[in-house]
Amino acid sequence: MKNFRIVLTFLLGIFLIVSCGTPSPFGGPVYDSEGNLAIDRVKIDDFLRTAPIDSLYRVHDPTGVVIIVQEEGSGAKPSSGMLVYSNYTGKLLDGIVFDTNREDIARENNVYDPSRNYRIFQFTLGTSETIQGFNLGFRQMKSGSKGILIIPSPWGYRDSGTIPGVPANSVLMFEVEFLGMD
């Protein structure tokens, strides 16, 4: 009987260890990048079919990011580690502005924050200083270009739901001016 209890306790311990699995380090379910990317690709395709966006050309990056070049710059494309300078206006696909680095556009769209310092946006390409969609999109643009980046939620704010005006799992659209790089 004593051996039976030891074996039963041992088997119960093994069962508990195996059945628990590895929890998410953030305490919730694991984000489904591939699933959300598949959903967002359909949303983006539907949007692009009907959106009246003029362009010189469009790049459909394998990551799902779409780069719509409206004015071609004369500079080179940036590489990882370069400092990129840009103006941007972030919108949802319905056209609602949720962020910009330009004070005049912020005021026009009721997203002005008096405590914010509106200036040229800069980030180091290939780092986590900005959303991943900027890293993916700006790699495909020449310095001096103007265009639109359409960014699926896995490369934007994911399911955070903490960005004012941006629901969880939103596809993002950024009008960008690639001002230069160092």
Side-chain angles (χ1 to χ4, degrees):
M1 185 69 167
K2 185 176 180 181
N3 288 342
F4 178 74
R5 284 187 185 164
I6 293 172
V7 170
L8 184 59
T9 303
F10 176 76
L11 290 175
L12 182 60
I14 296 292
F15 174 77
L16 290 174
I17 290 170
V18 171
S19 66
C20 287
T22 305
S24 167
F26 304 108
V30 176
Y31 183 76
D32 181 11
S33 292
E34 289 302 316
N36 283 300
L37 192 55
I39 292 167
D40 290 351
R41 284 178 195 232
V42 172
K43 289 179 188 176
I44 291 168
D45 288 346
D46 289 345
F47 174 76
L48 290 175
R49 249 191 300 284
T50 60
I53 301 174
D54 291 333
S55 63
L56 297 175
Y57 62 91
R58 297 177 181 195
V59 177
H60 292 261
D61 192 79
T63 62
V65 173
V66 178
I67 302 95
I68 302 171
V69 177
Q70 296 176 304
E71 287 183 33
E72 184 80 89
S74 59
K77 291 181 180 180
S79 55
S80 287
M82 297 184 93
L83 193 59
V84 172
Y85 301 94
S86 175
N87 284 324
Y88 71 87
T89 300
K91 299 179 179 184
L92 301 176
L93 291 184
D94 62 7
I96 295 174
V97 173
F98 64 86
D99 188 24
T100 182
N101 70 314
R102 295 190 41 199
E103 184 175 339
D104 59 330
I105 294 173
R107 287 182 185 275
E108 288 171 13
N109 290 279
N110 298 318
V111 294
Y112 176 72
D113 178 356
S115 65
R116 179 174 176 176
N117 186 6
Y118 291 91
R119 61 174 197 247
I120 293 172
F121 179 64
Q122 63 184 46
F123 68 97
T124 305
L125 192 72
T127 67
S128 61
E129 295 174 2
T130 187
I131 58 172
Q132 189 64 21
F134 266 39
N135 287 313
L136 297 167
F138 274 90
R139 286 181 198 278
Q140 302 288 338
M141 296 179 73
K142 291 181 179 179
S143 180
S145 295
K146 290 183 182 181
I148 296 173
L149 304 178
I150 300 181
I151 301 173
S153 60
W155 308 124
Y157 302 122
R158 296 183 159 219
D159 60 355
S160 75
T162 59
I163 308 300
V166 181
N169 296 312
S170 290
V171 173
L172 309 174
M173 179 172 57
F174 285 91
E175 295 175 356
V176 297
E177 276 183 278
F178 188 171
L179 300 173
M181 59 189 172
D182 288 331

